[in-house]
Amino acid sequence: MAPSAVPYQQGWPQPRELDHENLLQVTEEFAAASRRAFDAGFKVLEAHFAHGYLLHQFLSPLSNRRTDEFGGSLENRARFPLMVIRAMRAAWPAHLPLFVRLSVVDWADGGLDLDESLTLASWLKEAGVDLVDCSSGSVVPKEKIPLSPGYHAPFARQIRERTGMATGVVGLIFDPTLASALIQDGSADFIFLARAMLRDPYWPRTAAAVLQATNDIDIPTQYRWALERSL
């Protein structure tokens, strides 16, 4: 299922366009998943508006070719994702944070851009979202992504400064010094790690040693010498 019956690229399956009844059903499924997450003991919830997943597909004019009230203008393209967020916020306790991972830009001509994402971030804030986790791309195959460590940080800074929304940043952040600098210079409130943690599950302790902050984290006494002494 998708906003429009448009395959990702030639040779891929053609999805079925969601009708209004489907949209209501999917919205309720997101709300039900939110309730299950709370019942399971989770304390933070994140909705995925990025990387070609369904809600990103609605936001991007590259994948959303609809001509009804859920397609065309940004307001229309955001209508269904905002329905989902409001349903999730209603199902998720008010005192617990709700995040959105957002592909801020599509890195392709005619796609979602920073100006639209700034407007969307304001709408998300009004809908009860607490933080935008800034990523990008992955909705069309021919993207031109300028990869470099922390390359989403300028997007996170713009959203943070211009909307007042808390932000997180992800993207080739392996170096603890870079991670710390992005927090210190006001680019973001949080650093999100994926491959860095898969490669090194002890990355937070490694980072604490690099940043000389081992006293700030809870480390078993038996482990401290391994982090604080080089010999």
Side-chain angles (χ1 to χ4, degrees), residues 199-210:
R199 293 170 180 173
D200 176 11
Y202 291 100
W203 192 93
R205 293 181 179 178
T206 302
V210 170

Side-chain angles (χ1 to χ4, degrees), residues 121-136:
S122 296
W123 294 342
L124 290 170
K125 185 178 181 182
E126 291 172 0
V129 171
D130 298 290
L131 179 142
V132 170
D133 167 13
C134 297
S135 189
S136 68

Side-chain angles (χ1 to χ4, degrees), residues 67-217:
T67 57
D68 62 3
E69 68 269 34
F70 296 98
S73 67
L74 176 63
E75 182 179 9
N76 283 358
R77 286 182 277 122
R79 193 181 305 277
F80 174 57
L82 288 172
M83 282 173 51
V84 169
I85 280 297
R86 293 187 184 104
M88 292 176 67
R89 184 73 274 182
W92 184 247
H95 69 282
L96 294 178
L98 175 61
F99 294 177
V100 164
R101 169 159 286 199
L102 177 65
S103 275
V104 179
V105 301
D106 284 335
W107 299 119
D109 292 341
L112 197 67
D113 60 26
L114 176 59
D115 286 340
E116 287 192 325
S117 288
L118 285 165
T119 300
L120 177 63
S122 296
W123 294 342
L124 290 170
K125 185 178 181 182
E126 291 172 0
V129 171
D130 298 290
L131 179 142
V132 170
D133 167 13
C134 297
S135 189
S136 68
S138 298
V139 76
V140 291
K142 295 182 179 180
E143 303 169 321
K144 298 177 181 178
I145 305 177
L147 295 172
S148 63
Y151 66 105
H152 294 127
F155 302 146
R157 177 185 286 275
Q158 286 284 314
I159 290 173
R160 190 172 187 263
E161 292 180 349
R162 294 175 60 180
T163 71
M165 171 75 81
T167 60
V169 65
V170 67
L172 302 181
I173 301 172
F174 306 115
D175 180 1
T177 303
L178 172 61
S180 179
L182 292 174
I183 297 295
Q184 296 299 323
D185 71 11
S187 292
D189 299 278
F190 289 87
I191 303 298
F192 287 78
L193 303 172
R195 278 170 284 181
M197 288 289 291
L198 292 174
R199 293 170 180 173
D200 176 11
Y202 291 100
W203 192 93
R205 293 181 179 178
T206 302
V210 170
L211 299 172
Q212 299 183 337
T214 53
N215 288 332
D216 297 332
I217 61 174

